[in-house]
């Protein structure tokens, strides 16, 4: 129940996992089956809940599991190898600003083979997120898979620096996972500070306002409201089966949370904007960068926010300062479980 304790527990789980995640990254075919530590048994950190699609990955990691200390798994994306699967990034280095084919595969440790059977989630077998360590560059990509399990996608990254690649997928018959690997982008490197906290993001003539709180270890509602030229957008288009996709990355280590909205297009109650509501639990206090993908007039856009998760109470939670109202009736239908 207390945050200090929970952070300690996470640290312990991480230490345990790092202790076992040795030797990956080269000779991938040789990897022996994963040790089954507590951290490997549950993949809630990377698992997308299927029922209703309204809860984010990592929910359990920060929430329900908090009392059972040994079962706490780390958030997704921190490990290159988990649950018996390893992300083999075949293109670990790129040049800045140069379009390159990024290639990778997911290797199953027990067989040494590249995985070629996946469950589709949100219309895709695999979602690939690429983010710079300083969280100023973000891409959500959908690579294509060759029959042998090798994935590829063109990518062009504007700036040099350290990046993290996240593969978010569910192997057929397995648990949902998010594996992460480092990507180095060469060129003149100029590190940026994390962008300051904001509750309004402008993108392509749209303004997106963030309300609600991101609270450590406690599910909270985030409400995003999309307007264009000051008018609410009421005809958002479904994108990958939802009116919005939200990825949160923790500043400092890029722990990954993929959050989905409550309600789905076509369920009879979820409206196509202007509000899209999400339930999210931060795995710890700290700063997070939120990336909201939404689709309107045929184009997908990304609104970006920096929020701070702190405290455990609803008042002290992540600030969405200046946006404490949540009285709109339109959000309630979008979030029912
Ligand atoms: Cu995706």
């Amino acid at each position: 129940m207390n945050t200090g304790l929970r952070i300690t527990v996470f640290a312990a789980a991480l230490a345990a996992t790092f202790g076992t995640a040795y030797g990956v990254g080269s000779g991938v075919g040789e990897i022996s089956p994963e040790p089954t530590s507590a951290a490997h048994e549950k993949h809630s950190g990377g698992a997308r809940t299927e029922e209703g699609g309204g809860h984010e990955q990592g929910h359990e990691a920060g929430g329900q599991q908090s009392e059972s200390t040994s079962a706490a798994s780390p958030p997704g994306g921190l490990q290159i190898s988990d649950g018996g699967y390893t992300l083999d990034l075949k293109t670990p280095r790129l040049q800045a600003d140069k379009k390159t084919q990024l290639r990778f595969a997911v290797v199953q440790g027990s067989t040494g083979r590249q995985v070629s059977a996946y469950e589709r989630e949100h219309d895709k077998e695999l979602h690939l997120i690429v983010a710079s360590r300083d969280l100023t560059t973000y891409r959500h990509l959908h690579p294509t898979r060759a029959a042998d399990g090798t994935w590829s996608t063109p990518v062009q990254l504007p700036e040099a620096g350290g990046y993290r690649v996240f593969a978010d997928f569910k192997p057929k018959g397995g648990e949902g996972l998010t594996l992460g690997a480092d990507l180095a982008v060469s060129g003149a490197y100029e590190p940026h500070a994390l962008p300051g906290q904001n509750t309004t993001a402008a993108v392509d003539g749209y303004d997106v306002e963030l309300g609600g709180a991101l609270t450590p270890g406690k599910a909270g509602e985030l409400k995003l409201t999309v307007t264009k030229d000051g008018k609410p957008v009421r005809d958002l288009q479904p994108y990958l089966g939802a009116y919005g996709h939200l990825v949160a990355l923790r500043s400092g280590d890029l722990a990954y949370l993929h959050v989905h909205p409550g309600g789905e297009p076509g369920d009879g109650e979820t409206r196509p904007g202007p509000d899209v509501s999400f339930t999210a639990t931060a795995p710890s206090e700290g700063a997070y960068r939120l990336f909201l993908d939404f689709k309107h007039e045929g184009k997908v856009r990304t609104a970006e926010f920096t929020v701070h998760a702190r405290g455990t109470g609803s008042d002290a939670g992540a600030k969405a300062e200046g946006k404490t109202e949540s009285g709109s009736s339109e959000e309630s239908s979008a979030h029912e479980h």
Side-chain angles (χ1 to χ4, degrees), residues 92-315:
R93 288 173 298 279
L94 305 178
Q95 273 178 43
D97 225 10
K98 185 181 172 195
K99 197 174 198 178
T100 311
Q101 281 294 121
L102 187 75
R103 296 171 63 249
F104 64 97
V106 176
V107 176
Q108 186 168 22
S110 58
T111 62
R113 293 215 179 97
Q114 297 192 164
V115 177
S116 58
Y118 292 84
E119 314 259 359
R120 289 180 92 80
E121 295 182 288
H122 295 273
D123 282 359
K124 301 287 177 185
E125 289 187 339
L126 184 144
H127 302 261
L128 190 77
I129 304 296
V130 180
S132 60
R133 284 271 175 201
D134 63 11
L135 296 172
T136 56
T137 299
Y138 175 86
R139 301 279 186 274
H140 180 162
L141 306 167
H142 297 109
T144 50
R145 179 173 58 77
D148 74 350
T150 304
W151 292 92
S152 60
T153 178
V155 67
Q156 186 168 357
L157 299 167
E159 296 198 46
Y163 283 71
R164 190 81 172 160
V165 170
F166 303 91
D168 181 342
F169 63 95
K170 192 177 191 181
K172 199 170 179 103
E175 301 281 326
L177 277 177
T178 302
L179 301 179
D182 286 341
L183 171 70
V185 178
S186 61
Y189 177 40
E190 201 182 312
H192 299 286
L194 182 72
Q197 187 170 294
N198 62 316
T199 53
T200 305
V203 52
D204 257 5
Y206 295 82
D207 288 306
V208 181
E209 186 150 18
L210 170 67
L214 192 57
T215 308
K218 184 163 172 258
E221 186 184 53
L222 295 172
K223 186 180 72 163
L224 291 125
T225 306
V226 184
T227 57
K228 190 181 186 190
D229 303 325
K231 288 186 211 114
V233 173
R234 299 181 189 278
D235 57 347
L236 288 175
Q237 295 167 304
Y239 170 55
L240 302 171
Y243 288 124
H245 289 263
L246 186 63
V247 167
L249 297 174
R250 181 168 60 187
S251 180
D253 65 359
L254 273 58
Y256 172 98
L257 302 176
H258 192 159
V259 189
H260 288 99
E264 288 176 11
D267 65 5
E269 17 179 64
T270 304
R271 299 188 205 188
D275 298 335
V276 186
S277 291
F278 298 84
T279 305
T281 307
S284 70
E285 298 197 356
Y288 292 79
R289 189 76 172 155
L290 269 48
F291 302 91
L292 172 75
D293 290 340
F294 64 97
K295 187 172 179 181
H296 190 238
E297 292 176 351
K299 197 172 164 204
V300 177
R301 295 166 174 92
T302 306
E304 307 184 5
F305 303 87
T306 296
V307 302
H308 291 272
R310 16 179 123 93
T312 49
S314 49
D315 299 329

Side-chain angles (χ1 to χ4, degrees), residues 25-99:
S26 62
V28 165
E30 306 300 317
I31 291 174
S32 55
E34 284 286 296
T36 36
S37 69
H40 287 86
E41 315 249 61
K42 297 207 165 189
H43 302 297
S44 48
R48 180 176 297 126
T49 51
E50 290 294 275
E51 69 289 353
H55 294 238
E56 87 291 10
Q57 302 181 22
H59 185 111
E60 291 86 348
Q64 287 106 329
Q65 284 182 15
S66 56
E67 309 311 330
S68 62
T69 53
S70 62
S73 18
L78 295 174
Q79 302 181 93
I80 198 169
S81 190
D82 190 15
Y85 296 90
T86 295
L87 176 57
D88 176 15
L89 183 58
K90 297 169 192 285
T91 320
R93 288 173 298 279
L94 305 178
Q95 273 178 43
D97 225 10
K98 185 181 172 195
K99 197 174 198 178

